Amino acid sequence: MVSTQKRWLYIAMPIFFFWFFGQIDKLGISIVQTDPGFLNDLGLTGSSANAKIGFLTFIFMVAYAVSNVFWGFVIDKLGARKTALLGVAVWTATMVMAGMANSYEMFMWSRIILGIGEGMMIPVSGKFIASWFNRNEIGRAQASWITGNYLGPAIGAVFLTLIISTLTWHASFFFLALCNLLINIPMFLFLTRNKPEEHPGVSKEELAHIRKTESFDKSVTKQNFAQDFRFWIVWFGMVMASFLFFGISIWLPTYLVQAKNFDVESMTGITSLSWMFALGFVLICGFLSDKTKRPSLLATILFILCATFLTVASTTSIPIIAGLCLGLAMGTMGGVFHLSNLFIVKYSTKETAGRAAGLMGFTNIFGGLASYVMGWMRDLSGGDFGPSIILMILVAGLGFIAYLFTLKKEAEEVNLLNKELERQGLTDYSA
């Protein structure tokens, strides 16, 4: 068995660490921006400081989303392995650049270049998984990057807080550069290859297992995803989810410290727990989606839960409840992200999945916009988070309303499937 499971070591493990450290590089700014030394060194004080802080994430997300197009051509030319190595090298350089920054402008350029470097994460991961795993393993293979996606910030929040408190904010970026240099780059260099046929460690039995579903995949035909109105509802839902997820995740540590007077240790604990909430919702939604075959219904429920948690956070006078509710609201959007990945597969083909994923990836810009808008609203309201939270409640409501239009057709599809199962004498989807 071990000799036919090497793909999990050669591909799944590098992808896990790829996302683990990539997400810390991307979202560690939420921890760093709570440090008074960082704010003073970069001149992030005064009446417009919060908008400038939010703009750092916005400009990163713009670079991240736009660069997806560029990286698609690079992957076709160089392959996933060399593209990953090139991208991680860019990350490493930007971490060093950020650690050496002595002005807001220099730090901003480091975030722009980091966004360009990280734009290849989804295409690279998708290319590796499509090449190395058969159709029946795609869900488990995707779990490798989804787990790293949420565990990275959860654990990273603790380490970054520790480094900043014992050394300086500069050291946190040098630490991340070192992790990329010593872990990510060697893994892609020594473990991965573009295709299993090129890897000397892959046996003939494992290669046959990887390729055995290709003939079935080619026989399946689907309509163009752009012709299914539900794809565009999912796209709109992703816009709302991105706005909510990144708006909360970027500002949560600042909210806990400045609005609720949490100490650094408590702030770190709730921030880390919030990312674990997101991972929990991902796992729960994956299980329930397979069981019920109702992902649209699940997404509708998640938006309602998000609005509920945000409402409680905005009305409660108990700081710990407010912090936990914001973390749970963020977690629900992690579940929506996971369901959206399932929708990409459902509404597209192998030939169109890249374009469908690219359109979904573009919604990250709205996550960056949320960070800027929330900072701008804080400046207008004298540092109050109240108006920003009310805005997010409205956004969650829009996501809920959009998904309502998918429920009827989804229910009809499930009823048809139930009838077919009954006709065959089966009573369970997993049969």
Side-chain angles (χ1 to χ4, degrees):
M1 287 295 294
V2 174
S3 65
T4 60
Q5 301 292 324
K6 295 292 184 66
R7 60 196 177 281
W8 299 100
L9 169 66
Y10 296 146
I11 299 299
M13 188 169 70
I15 288 177
F16 168 80
F17 283 103
F18 185 51
W19 281 88
F20 183 92
F21 289 112
Q23 287 298 91
I24 301 176
D25 290 352
K26 178 193 300 182
L27 297 167
I29 185 66
S30 66
I31 298 295
V32 176
Q33 70 188 33
T34 65
D35 179 52
F38 171 78
L39 300 177
N40 290 326
D41 288 347
L42 298 190
L44 294 170
T45 56
S47 59
S48 62
N50 292 298
K52 291 174 71 176
I53 293 170
F55 186 75
L56 291 172
T57 298
F58 174 60
I59 198 66
F60 165 87
M61 288 297 187
V62 171
Y64 180 83
V66 172
S67 67
N68 271 268
V69 178
F70 161 78
W71 284 114
F73 290 105
V74 174
I75 290 173
D76 289 340
K77 205 71 171 163
L78 299 181
R81 179 170 174 253
K82 288 183 179 178
T83 302
L85 287 167
L86 178 60
V88 176
V90 172
W91 302 359
T92 306
T94 60
M95 290 299 100
V96 174
M97 182 180 177
M100 296 175 63
N102 55 14
S103 69
Y104 176 79
E105 289 73 22
M106 182 177 178
F107 190 84
M108 181 181 68
W109 275 108
S110 76
R111 301 306 290 179
I112 293 172
I113 300 172
L114 176 64
I116 295 171
E118 289 202 346
M120 52 77 191
M121 291 180 73
I122 293 176
V124 162
S125 301
K127 192 82 168 179
F128 271 128
I129 289 172
S131 298
W132 277 80
F133 297 90
N134 73 44
R135 179 178 54 84
N136 296 326
E137 297 172 332
I138 295 297
R140 279 177 290 159
Q142 281 185 327
S144 62
W145 72 262
I146 291 171
T147 304
N149 186 49
Y150 296 111
L151 274 185
I155 297 174
V158 178
F159 277 98
L160 291 181
T161 301
L162 181 63
I163 292 170
I164 292 170
S165 62
T166 56
L167 298 170
T168 66
W169 67 268
H170 304 274
S172 66
F173 288 101
F174 296 142
F175 168 76
L176 292 173
L178 197 62
C179 289
N180 286 324
L181 193 62
L182 298 181
I183 299 176
N184 272 336
I185 290 178
M187 278 193 168
F188 280 112
L189 190 62
F190 296 112
L191 291 181
T192 68
R193 297 292 186 274
N194 289 327
K195 298 178 181 179
E197 291 89 345
E198 300 171 357
H199 205 297
V202 175
S203 64
K204 292 181 179 179
E205 293 79 11
E206 183 167 11
L207 181 60
H209 172 78
I210 292 169
R211 299 299 180 216
K212 71 179 180 180
T213 60
E214 286 189 347
S215 59
F216 175 84
D217 292 337
K218 291 176 181 177
S219 68
V220 177
T221 58
K222 299 179 184 178
Q223 68 174 347
N224 190 328
F225 68 89
Q227 297 172 346
D228 194 325
F229 77 95
R230 291 177 298 174
F231 174 85
W232 297 107
I233 290 178
V234 172
W235 187 89
F236 179 79
M238 271 290 285
V239 170
M240 301 298 102
S242 294
F243 193 96
L244 291 162
F245 185 87
F246 290 107
I248 297 173
S249 63
I250 293 298
W251 283 105
L252 178 60
T254 303
Y255 169 83
L256 295 173
V257 172
Q258 296 183 7
K260 296 300 178 182
N261 299 315
F262 280 82
D263 57 33
V264 173
E265 290 76 16
S266 300
M267 175 274 289
T268 303
I270 292 180
T271 300
S272 182
L273 187 60
S274 298
W275 286 99
M276 295 307 295
F277 286 154
L279 179 58
F281 275 105
V282 165
L283 297 176
I284 291 170
C285 287
F287 172 78
L288 291 179
S289 179
D290 288 342
K291 271 294 183 185
T292 66
K293 306 300 181 187
R294 297 297 304 271
S296 291
L297 177 61
L298 290 173
T300 307
I301 294 171
L302 288 172
F303 274 112
I304 278 290
L305 286 175
C306 183
T308 302
F309 288 133
L310 288 169
T311 300
V312 173
S314 67
T315 56
T316 184
S317 59
I318 304 174
I320 187 68
I321 293 179
L324 289 174
C325 282
L326 276 181
L328 285 166
M330 185 183 106
T332 60
M333 294 300 99
V336 173
F337 282 159
H338 180 56
L339 293 173
S340 297
N341 286 323
L342 299 180
F343 286 126
I344 291 173
V345 175
K346 182 177 180 179
Y347 299 142
S348 66
T349 65
K350 245 183 181 180
E351 292 72 27
T352 63
R355 278 171 280 166
L359 282 170
M360 288 292 180
F362 184 78
T363 61
N364 281 289
I365 287 180
F366 295 92
L369 180 63
S371 178
Y372 175 73
V373 168
M374 288 179 67
W376 174 72
M377 292 179 71
R378 280 198 74 202
D379 289 334
L380 287 181
S381 58
D384 184 15
F385 276 95
S388 297
I389 295 177
I390 292 172
L391 173 63
M392 287 193 290
I393 293 172
L394 295 175
V395 169
L398 289 174
F400 165 74
I401 293 170
Y403 266 98
L404 287 177
F405 292 96
T406 67
L407 298 184
K408 182 179 179 181
K409 188 168 183 178
E410 182 179 75
E412 291 173 351
E413 290 175 346
V414 172
N415 286 334
L416 286 173
L417 180 58
N418 279 335
K419 290 178 182 179
E420 180 62 22
L421 290 172
E422 289 175 5
R423 188 183 68 79
Q424 297 179 22
L426 300 172
T427 59
D428 186 67
Y429 291 120
S430 60

